[in-house]
Amino acid sequence: MAAEATCSSGAGSTTSVAAAARKSNITSFQRRGPKAGGTESSGPRLVSIAGTRPSVRNGQLLVSTGLPALDQLLGGGLAVGTVLLIEEDKYNIYSSVLFKYFLAEGLINGHVLLVASAKEDPADILQVGPVSSSRFGHYYDVSKRMPQELLEASKCHGFFLPQKVSSTLKVEPYSLTHGYTKLLQFIQNIIYEEGFDGSNPQNKQKNILRIGIQNLGSPLWGDDICCTENCNNSHNLTKFLYVLRGLLRTSLSACIITMPTHLIQNKAIISRVTNLSDTVVGLESFIGSERETNPLYKDYHGLIHIRQIPRLNNLICDESDVKDLAFKLKRKLFTIEVREFLCFSSILR
Amino acid sequence: MLDSLLAFGGGLVLLRDSVEWEGRGLLKALIKKSALCGEQVHVLGCEVSEEEFREGFDSCVNSRLIYHDLFRDPLNWSKTGETSPGGPLGVLRAMCRRTDPGPTTIALDSLSWLLLHLPCTTLCQILHALSHQNSYPGDSSPIKQVHVLGLLHEEIHGPGLLGALSNLAQTEVTLGGAMGQASAHLLFRKPQQHPTYQTSWFSILPDFSLDLQEGPPVGPQHHSDLHTSLVDPMTHLTFNLHLSKEEKEAKDSLILPFQFSSEKQQVLLRPGPGQATSRIFYEPDAYDDLDQEDPDDDLDI
């Protein structure tokens, strides 16, 4: 009985669809979804948020990482609700550039920003100026500044650890989890108060929260995984990432974290951290290594390793076939290329 | 640039020394230079006594040195009140909170001692707070330039601690040497810029002034060979990338199989003298039809 009912309702719905198609003179093969970018108001069924687009593969909502080349390697962009972990290069030059691109992309699109750092004041971090825009993502110039009116119009929440913690603790040393706990509370408050998780359903436009956390795991956050191999509380960072991911999955936010994994002594922690993040990208710069003067590598500034791409609502992930990627940072452009077969290229030149 | 080490910006200067190349002399030379420039110098002495540290300095330098002695009574057993309360942590926090203006130099002798007595994360946070005292908008005092000189015995510590401290440091000076001459390998990390390296040869005079020198005579094995030798891409290949002259000539004179020239045609059509003629031997079978007539004859085309 139930089966017959569903069949008849199914048949009914197909006839009504066919009737509707005949009426509006369109074929059933025409695409009816919202266009990319969501700027045209062609009767969208989904609420489209500025700066996001659905993925062509699985319909996941994506935001740009600020670097079109990286977007392409990650399968279109960073999915909303996920964590992008960047393993820093040794002198933290290129990872901070990617960090700034991510935040600048948020500023351009009008997203709300949350920047957390233990090393420098969050207000000093936003210093990248936009140059040109591509279809989904922009190109930024590190030497320019963001126009002042854009900075003032944007909403940016900063979390600077020495300021947040120094007011409460004066005598004992900072306990290990204190910094992380404070940060998680801060993020949770912002998500709840500004309604990114669906609470406070007012009539305002939905927006994305972009969270950026710099140098997570360094001793300045109160974590000693970078200092010793057998640390006492090696689970602080992994607990933090676990709770953070839970917060992100239930809200419209995307997070970028840079971590100095070259300092972490215990390799097991690095693999746990990789498992707890969604997308992991590692940067390895040639500065200071013997590769800097090696003529085979002279066109590039370093290698980029895509260590993990998430399988969100999927059984497989879009890993690109190419594993040998190198990057170079020119003043206006951060390009990621496949490392040419160096043998032949040196002959042909 | 060893003498202009303290010239640019505030920040942590890490002096890494070892048993063979001691760093206290360089530390005292830098302290003397700051004191003569008119800066206030705070010294946290943990490894040597105050008298031993002050010896060698002349009176004007000594008068500018504010010495915090942690060597005599590090655990505060004498309870006379002379030593600072709170131990090393209290002293460092007090240094963070002081508000006197003007450029200051804080010398920590040594960071290794402090690392053995304090947890690494606390020390890193305090060093960061000390070297960035001018960046907090809370206090209204004018911007002060603070140099923090830390002496670190790199042989005692593991790679994790050394890496964590190098990450914090603005400048890193690694002491080494060759043939009796001390050298300092400098690494300047400016934020957001490429790090720069430099090596200087120096010696410390008895009155703790710095004397920069040329390096020892360089032997025939110069390390710049590394830059000029091209990596040969053919080292591990199983095929040839270049052709030798004879091979090139042979390649050019080769006639392609399907390119017909007249000589080739004649060669193919006329059997040459060297070619053996071929014959067909036929043994008729019992079932074979040996009709010699052409079956197509009755077709009238």
Side-chain angles (χ1 to χ4, degrees), chain A residues 91 93-94 96 119 163 174 219-220 222-224 226-227 263 265 287-288 293-295 343-344, chain B residues 120-122 124-125 128 137 159-161 163 167-168 189 192-195 197 227 230-231 233 241:
Chain A
Y91 297 103
I93 300 173
Y94 302 107
S96 62
K119 206 171 194 179
Q163 278 174 355
Y174 308 148
L220 292 175
D223 200 351
D224 63 349
C226 289
C227 307
L263 293 177
Q265 300 300 302
I287 302 172
T293 48
N294 193 332
C343 223
F344 289 133
Chain B
C120 178
T121 53
T122 318
C124 286
Q125 283 166 337
H128 182 75
L161 276 178
N167 230 18
L168 275 183
R189 280 184 199 228
Q192 318 308 330
Q193 285 175 41
H194 277 228
Y197 303 89
H227 300 261
L230 288 173
V231 173
L241 280 178

mmCIF file of all heavy atoms in Angstrom, chain A residues 91 93-94 96 119 163 174 219-220 222-224 226-227 263 265 287-288 293-295 343-344, chain B residues 120-122 124-125 128 137 159-161 163 167-168 189 192-195 197 227 230-231 233 241:
data_model
loop_
_atom_site.group_PDB
_atom_site.id
_atom_site.type_symbol
_atom_site.label_atom_id
_atom_site.label_comp_id
_atom_site.label_asym_id
_atom_site.label_seq_id
_atom_site.Cartn_x
_atom_site.Cartn_y
_atom_site.Cartn_z
ATOM 1 N N TYR A 91 61.221 29.614 7.367
ATOM 2 C CA TYR A 91 61.317 30.989 7.848
ATOM 3 C C TYR A 91 59.965 31.695 7.801
ATOM 4 O O TYR A 91 59.901 32.900 7.925
ATOM 5 C CB TYR A 91 62.358 31.763 7.033
ATOM 6 C CG TYR A 91 63.732 31.179 7.206
ATOM 7 C CD1 TYR A 91 64.296 30.386 6.228
ATOM 8 C CD2 TYR A 91 64.440 31.384 8.379
ATOM 9 C CE1 TYR A 91 65.538 29.822 6.409
ATOM 10 C CE2 TYR A 91 65.683 30.826 8.558
ATOM 11 C CZ TYR A 91 66.226 30.045 7.567
ATOM 12 O OH TYR A 91 67.458 29.477 7.747
ATOM 13 N N ILE A 93 57.838 32.587 5.549
ATOM 14 C CA ILE A 93 57.632 33.690 4.614
ATOM 15 C C ILE A 93 56.433 33.381 3.732
ATOM 16 O O ILE A 93 55.496 34.159 3.631
ATOM 17 C CB ILE A 93 58.893 33.898 3.760
ATOM 18 C CG1 ILE A 93 60.068 34.215 4.661
ATOM 19 C CG2 ILE A 93 58.689 35.005 2.758
ATOM 20 C CD1 ILE A 93 61.356 34.281 3.945
ATOM 21 N N TYR A 94 56.441 32.217 3.113
ATOM 22 C CA TYR A 94 55.413 31.905 2.125
ATOM 23 C C TYR A 94 54.112 31.477 2.775
ATOM 24 O O TYR A 94 53.031 31.719 2.242
ATOM 25 C CB TYR A 94 55.928 30.831 1.171
ATOM 26 C CG TYR A 94 57.193 31.262 0.488
ATOM 27 C CD1 TYR A 94 58.413 30.716 0.820
ATOM 28 C CD2 TYR A 94 57.163 32.271 -0.469
ATOM 29 C CE1 TYR A 94 59.570 31.149 0.215
ATOM 30 C CE2 TYR A 94 58.320 32.708 -1.069
ATOM 31 C CZ TYR A 94 59.517 32.139 -0.726
ATOM 32 O OH TYR A 94 60.655 32.570 -1.323
ATOM 33 N N SER A 96 52.935 32.755 5.498
ATOM 34 C CA SER A 96 52.232 33.968 5.917
ATOM 35 C C SER A 96 51.625 34.670 4.712
ATOM 36 O O SER A 96 50.593 35.332 4.836
ATOM 37 C CB SER A 96 53.160 34.915 6.673
ATOM 38 O OG SER A 96 54.204 35.326 5.849
ATOM 39 N N LYS A 119 51.771 35.858 18.156
ATOM 40 C CA LYS A 119 53.061 36.484 17.878
ATOM 41 C C LYS A 119 52.922 37.966 17.552
ATOM 42 O O LYS A 119 53.667 38.786 18.031
ATOM 43 C CB LYS A 119 53.695 35.778 16.694
ATOM 44 C CG LYS A 119 55.186 35.861 16.665
ATOM 45 C CD LYS A 119 55.716 34.955 15.596
ATOM 46 C CE LYS A 119 57.196 34.740 15.756
ATOM 47 N NZ LYS A 119 57.726 33.849 14.749
ATOM 48 N N GLN A 163 47.384 39.621 25.065
ATOM 49 C CA GLN A 163 46.435 40.585 25.633
ATOM 50 C C GLN A 163 45.304 39.874 26.338
ATOM 51 O O GLN A 163 44.807 40.319 27.348
ATOM 52 C CB GLN A 163 45.836 41.441 24.526
ATOM 53 C CG GLN A 163 46.710 42.569 24.132
ATOM 54 C CD GLN A 163 46.145 43.302 22.949
ATOM 55 O OE1 GLN A 163 45.147 42.904 22.384
ATOM 56 N NE2 GLN A 163 46.784 44.371 22.594
ATOM 57 N N TYR A 174 51.671 30.413 32.417
ATOM 58 C CA TYR A 174 50.485 30.070 31.620
ATOM 59 C C TYR A 174 50.358 28.559 31.567
ATOM 60 O O TYR A 174 51.286 27.872 31.220
ATOM 61 C CB TYR A 174 50.626 30.581 30.191
ATOM 62 C CG TYR A 174 50.968 32.037 30.071
ATOM 63 C CD1 TYR A 174 51.742 32.469 29.000
ATOM 64 C CD2 TYR A 174 50.513 32.981 30.967
ATOM 65 C CE1 TYR A 174 52.047 33.798 28.846
ATOM 66 C CE2 TYR A 174 50.826 34.309 30.813
ATOM 67 C CZ TYR A 174 51.589 34.713 29.762
ATOM 68 O OH TYR A 174 51.886 36.027 29.604
ATOM 69 N N PRO A 219 55.579 27.542 20.735
ATOM 70 C CA PRO A 219 55.640 27.734 22.184
ATOM 71 C C PRO A 219 54.906 28.979 22.670
ATOM 72 O O PRO A 219 54.540 29.060 23.837
ATOM 73 C CB PRO A 219 57.134 27.870 22.474
ATOM 74 C CG PRO A 219 57.806 27.267 21.332
ATOM 75 C CD PRO A 219 56.911 27.381 20.156
ATOM 76 N N LEU A 220 54.686 29.948 21.770
ATOM 77 C CA LEU A 220 54.014 31.161 22.210
ATOM 78 C C LEU A 220 52.561 30.911 22.560
ATOM 79 O O LEU A 220 51.944 31.711 23.253
ATOM 80 C CB LEU A 220 54.103 32.232 21.127
ATOM 81 C CG LEU A 220 55.507 32.763 20.886
ATOM 82 C CD1 LEU A 220 55.509 33.713 19.728
ATOM 83 C CD2 LEU A 220 56.028 33.448 22.117
ATOM 84 N N GLY A 222 51.759 28.410 24.321
ATOM 85 C CA GLY A 222 51.793 27.653 25.559
ATOM 86 C C GLY A 222 51.879 26.155 25.354
ATOM 87 O O GLY A 222 51.689 25.380 26.274
ATOM 88 N N ASP A 223 52.210 25.750 24.127
ATOM 89 C CA ASP A 223 52.244 24.326 23.834
ATOM 90 C C ASP A 223 53.694 23.910 23.635
ATOM 91 O O ASP A 223 54.426 24.570 22.913
ATOM 92 C CB ASP A 223 51.452 24.081 22.547
ATOM 93 C CG ASP A 223 51.013 22.654 22.420
ATOM 94 O OD1 ASP A 223 51.438 21.810 23.221
ATOM 95 O OD2 ASP A 223 50.230 22.383 21.500
ATOM 96 N N ASP A 224 54.088 22.805 24.238
ATOM 97 C CA ASP A 224 55.509 22.473 24.142
ATOM 98 C C ASP A 224 55.806 21.336 23.192
ATOM 99 O O ASP A 224 56.816 20.663 23.308
ATOM 100 C CB ASP A 224 56.077 22.149 25.526
ATOM 101 C CG ASP A 224 55.421 20.925 26.131
ATOM 102 O OD1 ASP A 224 54.411 20.456 25.588
ATOM 103 O OD2 ASP A 224 55.922 20.441 27.147
ATOM 104 N N CYS A 226 56.710 21.673 20.232
ATOM 105 C CA CYS A 226 57.838 22.042 19.385
ATOM 106 C C CYS A 226 59.154 21.967 20.138
ATOM 107 O O CYS A 226 60.213 22.054 19.545
ATOM 108 C CB CYS A 226 57.664 23.464 18.877
ATOM 109 S SG CYS A 226 56.369 23.605 17.670
ATOM 110 N N CYS A 227 59.084 21.847 21.454
ATOM 111 C CA CYS A 227 60.319 21.938 22.226
ATOM 112 C C CYS A 227 60.901 20.582 22.532
ATOM 113 O O CYS A 227 62.102 20.390 22.479
ATOM 114 C CB CYS A 227 60.049 22.669 23.537
ATOM 115 S SG CYS A 227 59.270 24.236 23.291
ATOM 116 N N LEU A 263 59.140 22.190 13.311
ATOM 117 C CA LEU A 263 59.688 22.224 14.653
ATOM 118 C C LEU A 263 59.165 21.093 15.522
ATOM 119 O O LEU A 263 59.730 20.815 16.567
ATOM 120 C CB LEU A 263 59.323 23.533 15.346
ATOM 121 C CG LEU A 263 59.935 24.814 14.807
ATOM 122 C CD1 LEU A 263 59.391 25.980 15.585
ATOM 123 C CD2 LEU A 263 61.428 24.763 14.902
ATOM 124 N N GLN A 265 58.787 17.763 17.071
ATOM 125 C CA GLN A 265 59.784 16.699 17.156
ATOM 126 C C GLN A 265 59.164 15.322 17.025
ATOM 127 O O GLN A 265 59.782 14.415 16.502
ATOM 128 C CB GLN A 265 60.520 16.784 18.498
ATOM 129 C CG GLN A 265 61.243 18.094 18.692
ATOM 130 C CD GLN A 265 62.278 18.311 17.628
ATOM 131 O OE1 GLN A 265 63.172 17.497 17.463
ATOM 132 N NE2 GLN A 265 62.156 19.378 16.885
ATOM 133 N N ILE A 287 65.116 28.327 0.713
ATOM 134 C CA ILE A 287 66.037 29.276 1.334
ATOM 135 C C ILE A 287 66.913 28.549 2.329
ATOM 136 O O ILE A 287 66.441 27.825 3.187
ATOM 137 C CB ILE A 287 65.257 30.356 2.102
ATOM 138 C CG1 ILE A 287 64.320 31.065 1.162
ATOM 139 C CG2 ILE A 287 66.201 31.356 2.721
ATOM 140 C CD1 ILE A 287 63.413 31.991 1.880
ATOM 141 N N GLY A 288 68.186 28.768 2.213
ATOM 142 C CA GLY A 288 69.073 28.207 3.207
ATOM 143 C C GLY A 288 69.447 26.765 2.967
ATOM 144 O O GLY A 288 70.347 26.251 3.597
ATOM 145 N N THR A 293 71.038 27.096 -4.531
ATOM 146 C CA THR A 293 72.028 27.394 -5.549
ATOM 147 C C THR A 293 72.064 26.337 -6.635
ATOM 148 O O THR A 293 72.827 26.434 -7.561
ATOM 149 C CB THR A 293 73.415 27.474 -4.909
ATOM 150 O OG1 THR A 293 73.575 26.317 -4.080
ATOM 151 C CG2 THR A 293 73.516 28.707 -4.047
ATOM 152 N N ASN A 294 71.248 25.341 -6.503
ATOM 153 C CA ASN A 294 71.230 24.276 -7.484
ATOM 154 C C ASN A 294 70.558 24.784 -8.755
ATOM 155 O O ASN A 294 69.438 25.256 -8.718
ATOM 156 C CB ASN A 294 70.433 23.111 -6.890
ATOM 157 C CG ASN A 294 70.600 21.840 -7.660
ATOM 158 O OD1 ASN A 294 70.843 21.871 -8.859
ATOM 159 N ND2 ASN A 294 70.461 20.726 -6.983
ATOM 160 N N PRO A 295 71.228 24.702 -9.900
ATOM 161 C CA PRO A 295 70.629 25.272 -11.115
ATOM 162 C C PRO A 295 69.362 24.572 -11.563
ATOM 163 O O PRO A 295 68.576 25.132 -12.316
ATOM 164 C CB PRO A 295 71.737 25.122 -12.161
ATOM 165 C CG PRO A 295 72.645 24.100 -11.626
ATOM 166 C CD PRO A 295 72.576 24.182 -10.157
ATOM 167 N N CYS A 343 65.673 17.680 -16.673
ATOM 168 C CA CYS A 343 66.709 17.189 -17.571
ATOM 169 C C CYS A 343 66.570 17.798 -18.944
ATOM 170 O O CYS A 343 67.467 18.404 -19.481
ATOM 171 C CB CYS A 343 66.474 15.703 -17.680
ATOM 172 S SG CYS A 343 67.895 14.774 -17.610
ATOM 173 N N PHE A 344 65.422 17.626 -19.541
ATOM 174 C CA PHE A 344 65.229 18.069 -20.907
ATOM 175 C C PHE A 344 65.193 19.578 -20.994
ATOM 176 O O PHE A 344 65.617 20.155 -21.968
ATOM 177 C CB PHE A 344 63.941 17.488 -21.479
ATOM 178 C CG PHE A 344 64.038 16.022 -21.735
ATOM 179 C CD1 PHE A 344 63.032 15.169 -21.329
ATOM 180 C CD2 PHE A 344 65.132 15.493 -22.367
ATOM 181 C CE1 PHE A 344 63.126 13.816 -21.563
ATOM 182 C CE2 PHE A 344 65.230 14.140 -22.605
ATOM 183 C CZ PHE A 344 64.221 13.295 -22.194
ATOM 184 N N CYS B 120 59.973 25.557 28.929
ATOM 185 C CA CYS B 120 60.372 26.216 27.684
ATOM 186 C C CYS B 120 59.314 27.179 27.182
ATOM 187 O O CYS B 120 59.627 28.266 26.699
ATOM 188 C CB CYS B 120 60.661 25.153 26.625
ATOM 189 S SG CYS B 120 61.104 25.825 25.051
ATOM 190 N N THR B 121 58.046 26.798 27.299
ATOM 191 C CA THR B 121 56.995 27.654 26.756
ATOM 192 C C THR B 121 56.919 28.966 27.518
ATOM 193 O O THR B 121 56.756 30.034 26.926
ATOM 194 C CB THR B 121 55.639 26.955 26.839
ATOM 195 O OG1 THR B 121 55.425 26.529 28.180
ATOM 196 C CG2 THR B 121 55.600 25.770 25.933
ATOM 197 N N THR B 122 57.078 28.886 28.860
ATOM 198 C CA THR B 122 57.048 30.123 29.643
ATOM 199 C C THR B 122 58.175 31.043 29.232
ATOM 200 O O THR B 122 57.999 32.248 29.061
ATOM 201 C CB THR B 122 57.199 29.799 31.139
ATOM 202 O OG1 THR B 122 56.423 28.673 31.437
ATOM 203 C CG2 THR B 122 56.804 30.969 31.984
ATOM 204 N N CYS B 124 59.752 31.138 26.390
ATOM 205 C CA CYS B 124 59.521 31.700 25.053
ATOM 206 C C CYS B 124 58.529 32.842 25.110
ATOM 207 O O CYS B 124 58.711 33.882 24.468
ATOM 208 C CB CYS B 124 58.996 30.616 24.115
ATOM 209 S SG CYS B 124 60.237 29.447 23.603
ATOM 210 N N GLN B 125 57.481 32.674 25.909
ATOM 211 C CA GLN B 125 56.485 33.747 25.992
ATOM 212 C C GLN B 125 57.076 34.992 26.628
ATOM 213 O O GLN B 125 56.799 36.109 26.203
ATOM 214 C CB GLN B 125 55.269 33.258 26.786
ATOM 215 C CG GLN B 125 54.387 32.352 25.971
ATOM 216 C CD GLN B 125 53.385 31.596 26.812
ATOM 217 O OE1 GLN B 125 53.562 31.399 27.995
ATOM 218 N NE2 GLN B 125 52.320 31.173 26.179
ATOM 219 N N HIS B 128 59.386 36.729 24.194
ATOM 220 C CA HIS B 128 58.605 37.447 23.194
ATOM 221 C C HIS B 128 58.057 38.735 23.786
ATOM 222 O O HIS B 128 58.075 39.787 23.150
ATOM 223 C CB HIS B 128 57.467 36.553 22.704
ATOM 224 C CG HIS B 128 56.625 37.172 21.654
ATOM 225 N ND1 HIS B 128 57.052 37.312 20.358
ATOM 226 C CD2 HIS B 128 55.391 37.704 21.697
ATOM 227 C CE1 HIS B 128 56.119 37.897 19.649
ATOM 228 N NE2 HIS B 128 55.095 38.144 20.437
ATOM 229 N N PRO B 137 49.294 48.331 22.882
ATOM 230 C CA PRO B 137 48.653 49.645 22.927
ATOM 231 C C PRO B 137 48.167 50.024 24.313
ATOM 232 O O PRO B 137 47.713 51.118 24.528
ATOM 233 C CB PRO B 137 47.467 49.490 21.962
ATOM 234 C CG PRO B 137 47.162 48.044 21.974
ATOM 235 C CD PRO B 137 48.447 47.326 22.205
ATOM 236 N N PRO B 159 67.400 19.407 19.514
ATOM 237 C CA PRO B 159 67.081 20.221 18.337
ATOM 238 C C PRO B 159 65.748 20.948 18.445
ATOM 239 O O PRO B 159 65.569 22.012 17.854
ATOM 240 C CB PRO B 159 67.032 19.193 17.197
ATOM 241 C CG PRO B 159 66.818 17.894 17.861
ATOM 242 C CD PRO B 159 67.439 17.971 19.196
ATOM 243 N N GLY B 160 64.829 20.384 19.225
ATOM 244 C CA GLY B 160 63.522 21.035 19.352
ATOM 245 C C GLY B 160 63.630 22.385 20.021
ATOM 246 O O GLY B 160 63.104 23.396 19.536
ATOM 247 N N LEU B 161 64.343 22.431 21.134
ATOM 248 C CA LEU B 161 64.496 23.700 21.854
ATOM 249 C C LEU B 161 65.244 24.720 21.013
ATOM 250 O O LEU B 161 64.889 25.898 20.965
ATOM 251 C CB LEU B 161 65.277 23.469 23.151
ATOM 252 C CG LEU B 161 64.476 23.008 24.338
ATOM 253 C CD1 LEU B 161 65.396 22.786 25.517
ATOM 254 C CD2 LEU B 161 63.441 24.016 24.692
ATOM 255 N N GLY B 163 65.430 24.865 17.808
ATOM 256 C CA GLY B 163 64.577 25.322 16.718
ATOM 257 C C GLY B 163 63.530 26.311 17.197
ATOM 258 O O GLY B 163 63.274 27.329 16.545
ATOM 259 N N ASN B 167 63.375 30.279 16.057
ATOM 260 C CA ASN B 167 62.183 30.828 15.420
ATOM 261 C C ASN B 167 61.788 32.156 16.023
ATOM 262 O O ASN B 167 61.257 33.030 15.357
ATOM 263 C CB ASN B 167 61.025 29.844 15.614
ATOM 264 C CG ASN B 167 60.342 29.560 14.317
ATOM 265 O OD1 ASN B 167 60.892 29.798 13.266
ATOM 266 N ND2 ASN B 167 59.137 29.067 14.395
ATOM 267 N N LEU B 168 62.040 32.288 17.324
ATOM 268 C CA LEU B 168 61.685 33.530 17.999
ATOM 269 C C LEU B 168 62.685 34.631 17.733
ATOM 270 O O LEU B 168 62.367 35.810 17.836
ATOM 271 C CB LEU B 168 61.694 33.300 19.513
ATOM 272 C CG LEU B 168 60.483 32.751 20.175
ATOM 273 C CD1 LEU B 168 60.750 32.712 21.650
ATOM 274 C CD2 LEU B 168 59.295 33.617 19.891
ATOM 275 N N ARG B 189 66.881 37.598 10.582
ATOM 276 C CA ARG B 189 65.529 37.289 10.129
ATOM 277 C C ARG B 189 64.679 38.535 10.253
ATOM 278 O O ARG B 189 64.246 38.880 11.340
ATOM 279 C CB ARG B 189 64.885 36.276 11.071
ATOM 280 C CG ARG B 189 65.253 34.892 10.880
ATOM 281 C CD ARG B 189 64.428 34.116 11.845
ATOM 282 N NE ARG B 189 64.973 32.835 12.073
ATOM 283 C CZ ARG B 189 64.281 31.706 12.038
ATOM 284 N NH1 ARG B 189 63.025 31.751 11.762
ATOM 285 N NH2 ARG B 189 64.864 30.573 12.264
ATOM 286 N N GLN B 192 58.779 38.876 7.365
ATOM 287 C CA GLN B 192 58.235 38.886 6.007
ATOM 288 C C GLN B 192 59.303 39.090 4.945
ATOM 289 O O GLN B 192 58.983 39.322 3.802
ATOM 290 C CB GLN B 192 57.148 39.961 5.806
ATOM 291 C CG GLN B 192 56.154 40.111 6.905
ATOM 292 C CD GLN B 192 55.523 38.794 7.281
ATOM 293 O OE1 GLN B 192 55.376 37.902 6.462
ATOM 294 N NE2 GLN B 192 55.182 38.635 8.531
ATOM 295 N N GLN B 193 60.544 39.042 5.300
ATOM 296 C CA GLN B 193 61.552 39.191 4.261
ATOM 297 C C GLN B 193 62.467 37.993 4.281
ATOM 298 O O GLN B 193 62.520 37.258 5.250
ATOM 299 C CB GLN B 193 62.374 40.445 4.523
ATOM 300 C CG GLN B 193 61.639 41.709 4.178
ATOM 301 C CD GLN B 193 62.456 42.901 4.564
ATOM 302 O OE1 GLN B 193 63.663 42.902 4.362
ATOM 303 N NE2 GLN B 193 61.827 43.898 5.118
ATOM 304 N N HIS B 194 63.222 37.881 3.222
ATOM 305 C CA HIS B 194 64.162 36.768 3.160
ATOM 306 C C HIS B 194 65.243 36.921 4.207
ATOM 307 O O HIS B 194 65.753 38.000 4.432
ATOM 308 C CB HIS B 194 64.823 36.740 1.774
ATOM 309 C CG HIS B 194 63.985 36.052 0.773
ATOM 310 N ND1 HIS B 194 64.481 35.094 -0.074
ATOM 311 C CD2 HIS B 194 62.683 36.153 0.505
ATOM 312 C CE1 HIS B 194 63.505 34.650 -0.837
ATOM 313 N NE2 HIS B 194 62.410 35.272 -0.511
ATOM 314 N N PRO B 195 65.627 35.851 4.854
ATOM 315 C CA PRO B 195 66.724 35.951 5.825
ATOM 316 C C PRO B 195 68.050 36.156 5.108
ATOM 317 O O PRO B 195 68.242 35.696 3.986
ATOM 318 C CB PRO B 195 66.684 34.591 6.523
ATOM 319 C CG PRO B 195 66.017 33.684 5.591
ATOM 320 C CD PRO B 195 65.069 34.501 4.783
ATOM 321 N N TYR B 197 72.330 35.982 5.424
ATOM 322 C CA TYR B 197 73.416 35.328 6.143
ATOM 323 C C TYR B 197 74.693 36.131 6.000
ATOM 324 O O TYR B 197 74.893 36.818 5.013
ATOM 325 C CB TYR B 197 73.695 33.943 5.544
ATOM 326 C CG TYR B 197 72.539 33.026 5.523
ATOM 327 C CD1 TYR B 197 71.673 33.003 4.444
ATOM 328 C CD2 TYR B 197 72.309 32.155 6.576
ATOM 329 C CE1 TYR B 197 70.605 32.148 4.412
ATOM 330 C CE2 TYR B 197 71.249 31.288 6.540
ATOM 331 C CZ TYR B 197 70.398 31.287 5.466
ATOM 332 O OH TYR B 197 69.338 30.436 5.428
ATOM 333 N N HIS B 227 78.823 26.315 -5.812
ATOM 334 C CA HIS B 227 77.911 27.125 -6.601
ATOM 335 C C HIS B 227 78.165 26.969 -8.079
ATOM 336 O O HIS B 227 77.274 27.101 -8.883
ATOM 337 C CB HIS B 227 78.086 28.604 -6.242
ATOM 338 C CG HIS B 227 77.809 28.868 -4.794
ATOM 339 N ND1 HIS B 227 76.615 29.363 -4.367
ATOM 340 C CD2 HIS B 227 78.568 28.688 -3.704
ATOM 341 C CE1 HIS B 227 76.658 29.486 -3.061
ATOM 342 N NE2 HIS B 227 77.824 29.091 -2.632
ATOM 343 N N LEU B 230 77.893 22.551 -12.044
ATOM 344 C CA LEU B 230 76.535 22.275 -12.484
ATOM 345 C C LEU B 230 76.217 20.816 -12.213
ATOM 346 O O LEU B 230 77.042 19.946 -12.414
ATOM 347 C CB LEU B 230 76.408 22.526 -13.990
ATOM 348 C CG LEU B 230 76.442 23.989 -14.402
ATOM 349 C CD1 LEU B 230 76.484 24.072 -15.901
ATOM 350 C CD2 LEU B 230 75.233 24.721 -13.873
ATOM 351 N N VAL B 231 75.039 20.622 -11.776
ATOM 352 C CA VAL B 231 74.639 19.241 -11.550
ATOM 353 C C VAL B 231 74.440 18.590 -12.903
ATOM 354 O O VAL B 231 73.699 19.079 -13.743
ATOM 355 C CB VAL B 231 73.340 19.211 -10.728
ATOM 356 C CG1 VAL B 231 72.832 17.817 -10.621
ATOM 357 C CG2 VAL B 231 73.594 19.792 -9.360
ATOM 358 N N PRO B 233 72.820 16.427 -15.351
ATOM 359 C CA PRO B 233 71.540 15.709 -15.347
ATOM 360 C C PRO B 233 71.655 14.297 -15.885
ATOM 361 O O PRO B 233 70.729 13.519 -15.791
ATOM 362 C CB PRO B 233 70.655 16.573 -16.255
ATOM 363 C CG PRO B 233 71.577 17.428 -17.023
ATOM 364 C CD PRO B 233 72.840 17.528 -16.292
ATOM 365 N N LEU B 241 71.677 11.486 -23.938
ATOM 366 C CA LEU B 241 71.013 12.741 -24.272
ATOM 367 C C LEU B 241 71.763 13.477 -25.369
ATOM 368 O O LEU B 241 71.213 14.329 -26.023
ATOM 369 C CB LEU B 241 70.951 13.649 -23.047
ATOM 370 C CG LEU B 241 69.855 13.336 -22.056
ATOM 371 C CD1 LEU B 241 69.967 14.283 -20.898
ATOM 372 C CD2 LEU B 241 68.507 13.466 -22.705
#
